[in-house]
Short mmCIF file of all heavy atoms in Angstrom, two decimals:
data_model
loop_
_atom_site.label_atom_id
_atom_site.label_comp_id
_atom_site.label_asym_id
_atom_site.label_seq_id
_atom_site.Cartn_x
_atom_site.Cartn_y
_atom_site.Cartn_z
N TRP A 1509 122.01 -192.37 312.06
CA TRP A 1509 121.57 -192.75 313.47
C TRP A 1509 122.84 -192.99 314.23
O TRP A 1509 122.96 -193.99 314.94
CB TRP A 1509 120.59 -193.91 313.40
CG TRP A 1509 119.30 -193.61 312.90
CD1 TRP A 1509 118.82 -192.33 312.58
CD2 TRP A 1509 118.20 -194.46 312.67
NE1 TRP A 1509 117.53 -192.44 312.18
CE2 TRP A 1509 117.06 -193.67 312.22
CE3 TRP A 1509 117.97 -195.95 312.83
CZ2 TRP A 1509 115.90 -194.33 311.93
CZ3 TRP A 1509 116.78 -196.47 312.50
CH2 TRP A 1509 115.66 -195.58 312.01
N GLU A 1517 122.96 -196.80 315.75
CA GLU A 1517 121.68 -197.61 316.00
C GLU A 1517 121.30 -198.01 314.57
O GLU A 1517 121.19 -197.38 313.62
CB GLU A 1517 120.64 -196.60 316.52
CG GLU A 1517 119.31 -197.22 316.82
CD GLU A 1517 118.51 -196.60 317.83
OE1 GLU A 1517 119.02 -195.71 318.48
OE2 GLU A 1517 117.30 -197.06 318.03
N ARG A 1518 121.08 -199.35 314.62
CA ARG A 1518 120.72 -200.04 313.29
C ARG A 1518 121.79 -199.86 312.28
O ARG A 1518 121.61 -199.63 311.08
CB ARG A 1518 119.42 -199.53 312.74
CG ARG A 1518 118.30 -199.49 313.78
CD ARG A 1518 118.00 -200.81 314.36
NE ARG A 1518 117.11 -200.85 315.51
CZ ARG A 1518 116.97 -201.79 316.43
NH1 ARG A 1518 117.63 -202.93 316.34
NH2 ARG A 1518 115.98 -201.66 317.31
N ASN A 1557 121.99 -189.40 315.67
CA ASN A 1557 120.81 -190.20 315.88
C ASN A 1557 119.54 -189.37 316.32
O ASN A 1557 119.74 -188.50 317.19
CB ASN A 1557 121.12 -191.27 316.91
CG ASN A 1557 120.08 -192.34 316.99
OD1 ASN A 1557 119.03 -192.30 316.41
ND2 ASN A 1557 120.35 -193.39 317.82
N VAL A 1558 118.45 -189.73 315.80
CA VAL A 1558 117.17 -189.09 316.15
C VAL A 1558 116.91 -189.41 317.63
O VAL A 1558 116.20 -188.65 318.29
CB VAL A 1558 115.98 -189.49 315.33
CG1 VAL A 1558 116.02 -188.86 313.95
CG2 VAL A 1558 115.86 -191.03 315.23
N ASN A 1559 117.41 -190.54 318.23
CA ASN A 1559 117.33 -190.77 319.61
C ASN A 1559 118.35 -190.08 320.29
O ASN A 1559 119.58 -190.44 320.23
CB ASN A 1559 117.32 -192.29 319.96
CG ASN A 1559 116.20 -192.98 319.42
OD1 ASN A 1559 115.11 -192.53 319.44
ND2 ASN A 1559 116.26 -194.21 318.98
N LYS A 1639 112.70 -186.25 316.73
CA LYS A 1639 111.78 -187.40 317.15
C LYS A 1639 111.22 -187.11 318.53
O LYS A 1639 111.99 -186.84 319.46
CB LYS A 1639 112.63 -188.66 317.14
CG LYS A 1639 111.89 -189.90 317.68
CD LYS A 1639 112.78 -191.16 317.53
CE LYS A 1639 112.11 -192.31 318.01
NZ LYS A 1639 112.88 -193.58 317.89
N GLU A 1643 108.62 -193.97 321.25
CA GLU A 1643 109.65 -194.91 321.67
C GLU A 1643 110.51 -194.39 322.82
O GLU A 1643 111.75 -194.44 322.92
CB GLU A 1643 110.59 -195.38 320.53
CG GLU A 1643 109.84 -196.15 319.48
CD GLU A 1643 110.63 -196.65 318.36
OE1 GLU A 1643 111.74 -196.17 318.07
OE2 GLU A 1643 110.32 -197.66 317.75
N ARG A 1676 109.49 -185.51 312.82
CA ARG A 1676 109.19 -186.90 312.35
C ARG A 1676 107.71 -187.25 312.73
O ARG A 1676 107.19 -186.96 313.87
CB ARG A 1676 110.13 -187.93 312.85
CG ARG A 1676 111.51 -187.70 312.32
CD ARG A 1676 112.42 -188.73 312.88
NE ARG A 1676 112.53 -190.00 312.23
CZ ARG A 1676 112.58 -191.09 312.82
NH1 ARG A 1676 112.49 -191.19 314.07
NH2 ARG A 1676 112.67 -192.20 312.18
N PHE A 1678 106.85 -190.39 312.92
CA PHE A 1678 106.95 -191.69 313.46
C PHE A 1678 106.66 -191.58 314.90
O PHE A 1678 107.49 -191.73 315.87
CB PHE A 1678 108.43 -192.22 313.21
CG PHE A 1678 108.49 -193.63 313.67
CD1 PHE A 1678 107.88 -194.68 313.17
CD2 PHE A 1678 109.51 -193.87 314.65
CE1 PHE A 1678 108.15 -196.00 313.64
CE2 PHE A 1678 109.79 -195.15 315.16
CZ PHE A 1678 109.06 -196.22 314.60
N TYR A 1680 104.26 -193.05 317.85
CA TYR A 1680 103.29 -194.06 318.31
C TYR A 1680 103.64 -194.53 319.65
O TYR A 1680 104.79 -194.24 320.17
CB TYR A 1680 103.28 -195.31 317.28
CG TYR A 1680 104.50 -196.23 317.43
CD1 TYR A 1680 104.36 -197.38 317.99
CD2 TYR A 1680 105.78 -195.77 317.08
CE1 TYR A 1680 105.45 -198.22 318.24
CE2 TYR A 1680 106.89 -196.61 317.26
CZ TYR A 1680 106.68 -197.84 317.83
OH TYR A 1680 107.78 -198.68 317.93
N LYS A 1717 107.62 -191.60 307.44
CA LYS A 1717 108.20 -192.89 306.96
C LYS A 1717 107.38 -193.52 305.71
O LYS A 1717 106.15 -193.21 305.74
CB LYS A 1717 108.20 -193.96 308.02
CG LYS A 1717 109.24 -193.73 309.02
CD LYS A 1717 109.55 -194.97 309.85
CE LYS A 1717 110.66 -194.59 310.99
NZ LYS A 1717 110.96 -195.73 311.88
N ASP A 1722 106.91 -199.52 309.95
CA ASP A 1722 108.40 -199.24 310.20
C ASP A 1722 109.22 -199.97 309.35
O ASP A 1722 109.89 -200.96 309.61
CB ASP A 1722 108.59 -199.59 311.66
CG ASP A 1722 110.01 -199.04 312.14
OD1 ASP A 1722 110.55 -198.32 311.37
OD2 ASP A 1722 110.44 -199.39 313.31
N GLU A 1744 110.57 -190.38 304.21
CA GLU A 1744 111.67 -190.97 304.90
C GLU A 1744 111.76 -192.48 304.42
O GLU A 1744 110.81 -193.21 304.70
CB GLU A 1744 111.57 -190.89 306.43
CG GLU A 1744 112.64 -191.54 307.12
CD GLU A 1744 112.56 -191.40 308.68
OE1 GLU A 1744 111.92 -190.48 309.18
OE2 GLU A 1744 112.97 -192.30 309.37
N GLU A 1750 117.46 -202.39 308.27
CA GLU A 1750 117.09 -203.01 309.60
C GLU A 1750 116.21 -204.25 309.41
O GLU A 1750 116.46 -205.23 310.06
CB GLU A 1750 116.33 -201.99 310.35
CG GLU A 1750 115.86 -202.42 311.70
CD GLU A 1750 115.21 -201.30 312.55
OE1 GLU A 1750 115.11 -200.22 312.02
OE2 GLU A 1750 114.70 -201.59 313.63
N TYR A 1751 115.18 -204.19 308.64
CA TYR A 1751 114.24 -205.27 308.47
C TYR A 1751 114.34 -205.96 307.11
O TYR A 1751 113.56 -206.73 306.73
CB TYR A 1751 112.81 -204.79 308.70
CG TYR A 1751 112.53 -204.33 310.09
CD1 TYR A 1751 112.50 -202.96 310.34
CD2 TYR A 1751 112.20 -205.17 311.08
CE1 TYR A 1751 112.25 -202.52 311.61
CE2 TYR A 1751 111.88 -204.84 312.38
CZ TYR A 1751 111.95 -203.49 312.58
OH TYR A 1751 111.64 -203.04 313.88
N HIS A 1885 116.28 -207.58 315.35
CA HIS A 1885 115.45 -207.48 314.18
C HIS A 1885 116.04 -208.22 313.00
O HIS A 1885 115.66 -208.07 311.86
CB HIS A 1885 115.06 -206.13 313.81
CG HIS A 1885 114.36 -205.38 314.93
ND1 HIS A 1885 114.17 -203.97 314.89
CD2 HIS A 1885 113.78 -205.79 315.98
CE1 HIS A 1885 113.47 -203.59 316.00
NE2 HIS A 1885 113.31 -204.71 316.67
C1 GCV B 207 116.17 -194.58 315.77
C2 GCV B 207 112.64 -198.30 314.70
C3 GCV B 207 114.14 -198.71 315.04
C4 GCV B 207 114.69 -197.74 316.06
C5 GCV B 207 114.63 -196.25 315.46
C6 GCV B 207 113.09 -196.01 315.15
C7 GCV B 207 112.96 -194.67 314.53
O1 GCV B 207 111.79 -198.56 315.79
O2 GCV B 207 114.05 -200.04 315.48
O3 GCV B 207 116.02 -198.26 316.20
O4 GCV B 207 115.18 -195.38 316.35
O5 GCV B 207 112.64 -196.87 314.30
O6 GCV B 207 112.83 -194.56 313.27
O7 GCV B 207 113.05 -193.65 315.31
#
Side-chain angles (χ1 to χ4, degrees):
W1509 288 354
E1517 184 156 348
R1518 312 303 173 192
N1557 190 356
V1558 287
N1559 291 326
K1639 171 177 178 177
E1643 298 182 334
R1676 293 176 89 222
F1678 183 64
Y1680 77 106
K1717 284 192 182 184
D1722 193 5
E1744 177 180 331
E1750 178 179 358
Y1751 293 98
H1885 301 169

